[in-house]
């Protein structure tokens, strides 16, 4: 199983200059490789492969070109070009009209990757070959064997390192406790055990701050210095909001995985399309997707399971007798005219989600046993 860790980097002036030079060299190499493919094809009808281009790169390096960049990092650039072309041809084949792979203008090449070696973590430093030992903010310990390291510069000029590590799969535990989780209307989530989890106050406040900054930005004159300043402010606060949210979602997913062996969620990819799409909803869906993702990775490490179900009708259906009880968004209580069940609407939905999850698992287990 693979896990990604993203750490902010704090390069000194000299290191930052080297990082920028590396990005520029990679961009230049990317464009050169792209042009090479284009020319070879247009002029001679030859398709250049990754291997062809890697061989050329080795020769050119011997001649003194592309210096200052770790060799595997420059090979990875060629692999990106290869990927772009493969994706392009795949889409042409399937009858689409994709844009031809594009040259990267200044500022449009934002990351480079050490695909195997050339980097290591030493305490709170990340040592990069050809660049140096850079201070990082390591908010989590890296577990497992680190496979790749990608260095990225964001639009605020901050540098980040993303390390992808691999750990061995944990054998599954026999699920004894199961829990159903639903997107609440008022809360972040509602649980089939009857509880709810709400966003913390600091998160709600950060969101309000963001809304104010965005309104402020929209009032600034286009092209003015004040607008530029307001834009940076919005980007900064929005980054804060995201960080707060992720930190909170990590706590929630930890709680879920600690409290149950099988966790059942609504599958947004199925039911999300049926929902209305205003911005607030979109943001909520995004958080929901992240919560599922975080829970899946924590569950995998603990040998526990996450099940995703099609949650259509789960809010309308009676969790006791199965009859459909139509409700509007304003109806907070599920009151069944058939069996008399009365409970909070979110709780009723959660129990339905849990039932669907358990049924799906039981069905699959029988199918497996029949084989
Ligand atoms: Zn009923």
């Amino acid at each position: 199983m693979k896990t990604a860790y993203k750490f902010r980097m704090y390069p000194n002036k000299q290191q930052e200059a080297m990082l920028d030079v590396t990005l520029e060299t990679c961009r230049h190499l990317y464009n050169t490789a792209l042009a090479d493919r284009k020319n070879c094809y247009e002029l001679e009808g030859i398709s250049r492969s990754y291997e062809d281009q890697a061989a050329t790169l080795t020769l050119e390096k011997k001649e003194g070109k592309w210096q200052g960049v770790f060799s595997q990092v420059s090979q990875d650039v060629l692999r990106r070009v290869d990927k772009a072309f493969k994706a392009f041809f795949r889409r042409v084949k399937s009858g689409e009209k994709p844009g031809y792979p594009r040259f990267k203008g200044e500022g449009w090449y934002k990351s480079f990757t050490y695909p195997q070696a050339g980097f290591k973590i030493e305490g709170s430093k990340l040592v990069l070959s050809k660049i140096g030992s850079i201070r990082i903010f390591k908010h989590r310990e890296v577990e497992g064997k680190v496979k790749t390291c990608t260095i990225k510069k964001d639009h605020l000029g901050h540098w980040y390192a993303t390390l992808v590590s691999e750990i061995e799969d944990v054998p599954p535990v026999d699920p004894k406790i199961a829990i159903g989780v639903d997107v609440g209307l008022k809360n972040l989530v509602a649980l089939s055990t009857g509880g709810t989890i709400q966003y913390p106050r600091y998160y709600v406040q950060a969101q309000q701050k963001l809304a104010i900054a965005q309104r402020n930005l929209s009032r600034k004159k286009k092209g003015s210095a004040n607008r530029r300043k307001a834009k940076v402010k919005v980007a900064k606060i929005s980054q804060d909001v995201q960080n707060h949210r992720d930190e909170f979602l990590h706590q929630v997913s930890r709680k879920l995985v600690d409290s149950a062996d099988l966790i059942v969620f609504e599958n947004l990819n199925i039911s999300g399309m049926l929902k209305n799409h205003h911005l607030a909803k979109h943001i909520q869906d995004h958080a929901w997707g992240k919560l599922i993702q975080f829970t899946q990775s924590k569950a995998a490490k603990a040998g526990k399971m996450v099940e995703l179900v099609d949650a259509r009708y789960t809010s309308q259906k009676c969790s006791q007798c199965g009859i459909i009880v139509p409700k509007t968004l304003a109806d907070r209580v599920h009151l069944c005219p058939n069996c008399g069940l009365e409970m909070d609407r979110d709780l009723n939905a959660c129990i339905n989600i849990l039932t669907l999850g358990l049924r799906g698992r039981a069905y699959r287990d029988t199918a497996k046993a029949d084989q």
Side-chain angles (χ1 to χ4, degrees), residues 318 320-323 334 336 338-341:
C318 175
Q320 186 161 278
C321 71
I323 202 171
H334 167 81
C336 180
N338 188 43
C339 71
L341 178 70

Side-chain angles (χ1 to χ4, degrees), residues 210-371:
L210 179 61
I212 294 168
Q214 275 165 335
R215 221 173 308 140
N216 192 26
L217 168 65
S218 69
R219 291 200 197 104
K220 296 283 183 283
K221 231 194 186 149
K222 283 217 171 101
S224 67
N226 279 336
R227 188 182 169 88
R228 215 164 39 240
K229 266 187 231 155
K231 228 177 185 169
V232 171
K233 198 167 177 198
V234 165
K236 273 190 182 148
I237 299 175
S238 135
Q239 187 65 53
D240 270 358
V241 168
Q242 273 178 48
N243 292 347
H244 282 327
R245 186 202 55 205
D246 287 0
E247 192 186 311
F248 176 63
L249 293 179
H250 272 301
Q251 290 168 14
V252 175
S253 53
R254 170 52 51 212
K255 238 185 243 170
L256 291 174
V257 171
D258 285 347
S259 66
D261 310 316
L262 169 66
I263 302 134
V264 188
F265 287 101
E266 166 184 0
N267 188 348
L268 265 198
N269 290 336
I270 298 173
S271 28
M273 294 179 197
L274 299 170
K275 287 180 182 155
N276 51 4
H277 274 267
H278 16 119
L279 189 63
K281 189 71 197 110
H282 178 78
I283 292 167
Q284 198 188 24
D285 286 357
H286 187 72
W288 185 241
K290 277 220 156 172
L291 177 64
I292 294 176
Q293 191 195 326
F294 290 172
T295 308
Q296 279 170 327
S297 81
K298 289 185 179 65
K301 276 181 205 157
K304 297 185 171 188
M305 268 149 293
V306 171
E307 189 82 20
L308 301 180
V309 299
D310 176 358
R312 274 175 290 181
Y313 311 115
T314 44
S315 60
Q316 310 289 331
K317 209 170 170 180
C318 175
S319 60
Q320 186 161 278
C321 71
I323 202 171
I324 298 286
V325 185
K327 299 176 192 66
T328 65
L329 285 181
D331 298 327
R332 296 302 313 153
V333 175
H334 167 81
L335 182 58
C336 180
N338 188 43
C339 71
L341 178 70
E342 183 178 347
M343 62 166 54
D344 179 81
R345 68 172 285 149
D346 290 342
L347 179 56
N348 179 63
C350 282
I351 295 173
N352 280 326
I353 285 174
L354 176 60
T355 308
L356 281 172
L358 290 171
R359 214 182 277 158
R361 269 190 62 76
Y363 177 77
R364 272 205 308 281
D365 287 348
T366 331
K368 237 189 250 160
D370 285 349
Q371 272 174 7

Side-chain angles (χ1 to χ4, degrees), residues 60-74:
E60 288 180 344
K61 279 205 157 192
K62 275 189 191 142
E63 288 162 7
K65 260 188 115 183
W66 314 116
Q67 293 302 304
V69 177
F70 188 65
S71 58
Q72 290 189 357
V73 169
S74 44

